[in-house]
Amino acid sequence: MQTVQEAGKTLFAAFEQGELALSGRRVKFMERDWQPHSQFAGVALKHLLTAADTGGAFSYHLVRVEPGCAIGEHVHATQQETHEVVAGDGVCRIRNEGIDYRAGLISLIEPGVRHTVTASEKGLLMFAKFIPPLL
């Protein structure tokens, strides 16, 4: 039987290889490259849905934080953000509160709120959604 950690990695891999079904066309996620974060070492994003795909409504991203790495303190002035933890674990700090990140947890970060995410030695895989879109 697969562990929760293995199942999360399998799910995440399925989305890496999946596709976006839009009216009249499909976009294979393999065609969208992982982008290293411009400010935070060991963090990469795959932009699955952008404003161009959603009519400017929201964006949806795979996020990979390597073991022991962090998405340092930052703020999104206008976006509401959700994190859906798929595999691994870590800690998110929002308003000085530490939230244990583990598979199955969803967190909501309001616009204008500073936050950080630090992965454990297992690393961290999650989905992030932004309303309005990040990109």
Side-chain angles (χ1 to χ4, degrees), residues 17-129:
Q17 312 270 331
E19 64 183 355
L20 168 63
L22 298 168
S23 180
R25 72 181 175 106
R26 296 205 181 232
V27 177
K28 294 193 180 298
F29 293 145
M30 289 299 294
E31 296 171 3
R32 299 200 172 176
D33 294 329
W34 280 100
Q35 303 292 320
H37 198 286
S38 61
Q39 295 177 323
F40 308 120
V43 177
L45 295 96
K46 183 177 272 210
H47 310 298
L48 300 184
L49 298 169
T50 65
D53 301 313
T54 66
F58 68 97
S59 61
Y60 192 73
H61 315 265
L62 297 180
V63 181
R64 183 178 61 216
V65 185
E66 297 297 330
C69 292
I71 302 170
E73 186 176 76
H74 66 288
V75 64
H76 303 284
T78 61
Q79 285 100 356
Q80 183 162 287
E81 179 178 5
T82 64
H83 293 160
E84 300 168 25
V85 181
V86 177
D89 51 41
V91 174
C92 180
R93 294 206 62 78
I94 302 172
R95 290 192 177 114
N96 295 320
E97 176 188 354
I99 299 170
D100 290 331
Y101 269 24
R102 57 182 168 23
L105 179 107
I106 298 174
S107 69
L108 175 65
I109 304 163
E110 297 166 346
V113 175
R114 294 194 167 281
H115 56 284
T116 64
V117 178
T118 304
S120 74
E121 69 281 348
K122 295 178 186 174
L124 187 61
L125 303 174
M126 61 185 182
F127 296 117
K129 295 176 189 163

